[in-house]
Amino acid sequence: MADPGRLDGPAVEVRLARLDTLLEGLESAPGPTGGSAVEAVRLLTEVYGEALARVLDRTDAPLAERLADDELLDHLLVLHDIHPDSPERRAARAVERLRPAVRERGGDVEWAGVEGQVGRVRLTTGGGCGSGCGGGTTEVADAVREAVLAAAPELVDVQPLPEAPAPAFVPLDSLRRPQEAR
């Protein structure tokens, strides 16, 4: 049974969305009060980030990995630039988390690595229709890009590798040597 004082995933999402709305309002508020409030939030975030970094300094690797497996803590570790995993590993994990949803749509996605500061993925769609299959492919590519950049903001972009063309069908009979006339 969950602790009644703790927030579940949806409750955290609601609070984060409300926080975004409030911060946007503060940033656009005229006068010094809005600027002071935004600065207070920024300073508080820095102090909490430092506290979280000190916790990580006092943990062993297995515990740090378990902390990073929690979705909310994972985001906080990224936000404060103290995540124990490399950007490439975080990006690969984000792609793996999306893979079941992409497969449900008849496609597949696979992490292909980093070139410079650009993440690369192999994105295939159902029926081998490639990137010209309409809005579904674009939606999947956008979702993959968003998830990877959220997990690894150090990357500047995420791009799919070009799909390899389907192999041409060559009948087996055409590969056999013609029999010599007898």
Side-chain angles (χ1 to χ4, degrees):
M1 181 170 189
D3 182 345
R6 302 288 303 272
L7 300 176
D8 62 7
V12 169
E13 291 296 322
V14 166
R15 282 162 176 78
L16 289 173
R18 178 70 178 138
L19 180 60
D20 283 343
T21 302
L22 290 171
L23 287 172
E24 286 173 10
L26 285 173
E27 288 174 341
S28 63
T33 303
S36 295
V38 170
E39 182 180 3
V41 169
R42 182 183 56 75
L43 292 171
L44 184 61
T45 301
E46 287 176 6
V47 170
Y48 282 175
E50 177 59 24
L52 187 55
R54 290 179 185 194
V55 168
L56 278 182
D57 287 346
R58 289 164 176 76
T59 62
D60 59 12
L63 178 56
E65 288 176 17
R66 288 199 329 261
L67 293 174
D69 283 341
D70 179 275
E71 186 177 1
L72 179 58
L73 292 174
D74 182 64
H75 288 293
L76 286 174
L77 295 170
V78 169
L79 173 71
H80 295 293
D81 197 22
I82 55 175
H83 203 288
D85 294 335
S86 69
E88 182 161 358
R89 183 168 176 187
R90 286 182 272 134
R93 197 168 33 235
V95 168
E96 279 305 308
R97 283 193 294 255
L98 279 177
R99 199 169 200 190
V102 174
R103 284 181 169 171
E104 268 183 27
R105 297 183 81 155
D108 199 6
V109 64
E110 182 181 351
W111 180 248
V114 175
E115 293 177 10
Q117 290 183 294
V118 176
R120 302 296 295 226
V121 295
R122 281 184 194 85
L123 184 60
T124 55
T125 56
C129 60
S131 60
C133 286
T137 302
T138 302
E139 290 171 10
V140 170
D142 289 346
V144 170
R145 180 178 294 107
E146 183 179 317
V148 168
L149 293 178
E154 300 91 338
L155 300 177
V156 297
D157 196 12
V158 178
Q159 297 175 354
L161 293 171
E163 283 190 58
F169 177 73
V170 178
L172 185 59
D173 291 342
S174 70
L175 297 176
R176 293 186 183 150
R177 289 185 187 180
Q179 291 187 356
E180 294 181 29
R182 294 184 186 186

